[in-house]
Amino acid sequence: MSEILYGLGAAIGRDSAEELATAFLQLSLYLDPKAQFAAVSLGGLLERMGQPEQAIEVLKMVPEDAALKRDAEIQIGLNYNSMDRVDEAREHLSALIEQDPTELEAIVSLGNVLRGHKIFDEAEVVYTKGIDSLDGNMQKEHWLLLYFRGICRERQDKWDLAEADFRKALELFEDQPLVLNYLGYSLVDQGLKLDEALGMIKKAVELRPTDGYIVDSLGWVYYRLGKYNEAVKELERAIELRPSDPVINDHLGDAYWKVGRKNEARFQWNHARDLGPEPEELPKILKKIANGLDDAQADEAKADGSKNGG
């Protein structure tokens, strides 16, 4: 009877009938507290319903000798993270990695928790541990480890190492759109290899035409190259795909200003301000709203020059 209820709950849960599915899975566990599949399914359902604390309690019911015990423990660590209990998530996932240093799923999960909280130096070490565990035997699916480590290195201004990771990821998975986008955007941001970078991002857009973030990258590359009309066209398309993203709205405001559409520029900057930008970006947006882009850029350049002794 427990297995029948698990089957019903799992099937109904896939159709988004969460409350009924939860009831069936809870009954399944009541009848057989060691039903590992029911526990993992109910844990996942509670996660999707935004109840991570309850999910942890259910996942702890998976028996020690069950085949799904490791999966359940990884999900417990991720649920700690979703409650912003970062230290507990780190401790829990680190313990799993100590038990099995070749467990890539646990390694990636811990790396992603640290990267999500911008603890890039620790995340880089974790991803490196995963890469080293492969002992040079990297397959196509391992591109993600290199991509994530490349992001951590780029955020720490270790550009040469980051670029090497991104290019190695593309060797494993040719034309992977996320890697093409990140590498191309980073190159343009630093004024490096602009033709190659533009080609990478165009290819990424071709592969993922409805990804607003990648379309934004193409628009921003055109902006950095001084092709402002092309920038406006792509950034308007990015806004249609991701209307609530503060970065894209900010980018479109900059592009509008450059083509003389100054009222629309201020509208986009105000919208970007209201969408909750990163704390370090908010003062820049407020300065543009108050003074316009040209004055804000001049002030920024002056500050940079003073900082650099110029």
Side-chain angles (χ1 to χ4, degrees), residues 90-108:
R90 179 199 277 129
E91 183 180 345
H92 191 87
L93 293 168
S94 295
L96 292 176
I97 295 168
E98 281 183 28
Q99 292 169 13
D100 183 0
T102 65
E103 172 65 78
L104 284 182
E105 188 176 351
I107 286 170
V108 171

Side-chain angles (χ1 to χ4, degrees), residues 7-18 20-22 24-25 45 48:
L8 287 169
I12 294 170
R14 287 193 291 270
D15 293 332
S16 300
E18 284 94 354
L20 185 57
T22 299
F24 280 129
L25 292 169
L45 193 57
R48 295 201 301 274

Side-chain angles (χ1 to χ4, degrees), residues 52-205:
E53 198 157 4
Q54 294 90 325
I56 288 172
E57 294 307 311
V58 170
L59 291 164
K60 285 180 178 178
M61 295 175 67
V62 176
E64 289 294 330
D65 59 351
L68 295 180
K69 183 61 176 176
R70 292 281 296 184
D71 293 335
E73 291 296 330
I74 290 170
Q75 287 307 118
I76 287 171
L78 294 174
N79 276 293
Y80 281 134
N81 182 57
S82 67
M83 292 188 289
D84 283 329
R85 290 158 62 176
V86 184
D87 290 338
E88 288 172 88
R90 179 199 277 129
E91 183 180 345
H92 191 87
L93 293 168
S94 295
L96 292 176
I97 295 168
E98 281 183 28
Q99 292 169 13
D100 183 0
T102 65
E103 172 65 78
L104 284 182
E105 188 176 351
I107 286 170
V108 171
S109 296
L110 177 57
N112 289 351
V113 166
L114 296 168
R115 182 171 54 86
H117 290 277
K118 300 184 179 180
I119 310 172
F120 297 118
D121 54 343
E122 289 186 35
E124 180 190 355
V125 171
V126 172
Y127 292 130
T128 298
K129 185 177 293 187
I131 291 166
D132 290 346
S133 74
L134 295 167
D135 197 25
N137 186 30
M138 301 194 78
Q139 306 298 319
K140 182 177 181 178
E141 65 269 19
H142 299 132
W143 70 271
L144 203 56
L145 278 166
L146 290 160
Y147 173 60
F148 287 153
R149 187 174 72 173
I151 291 173
C152 293
R153 287 175 162 178
E154 184 268 332
R155 295 298 175 88
Q156 297 176 84
D157 296 323
K158 300 178 179 179
W159 174 245
D160 289 343
L161 292 172
E163 183 178 5
D165 275 347
F166 294 137
R167 292 192 183 276
K168 179 63 177 177
L170 289 173
E171 287 178 23
L172 296 176
F173 191 159
E174 186 179 2
D175 290 341
Q176 210 298 322
L178 295 177
V179 183
L180 287 171
N181 177 60
Y182 203 104
L183 176 54
Y185 189 100
S186 298
L187 288 169
V188 170
D189 214 35
Q190 299 177 74
L192 302 171
K193 305 169 187 172
L194 296 180
D195 289 339
E196 182 189 19
L198 182 58
M200 285 179 174
I201 297 175
K202 282 183 174 179
K203 183 66 177 179
V205 170

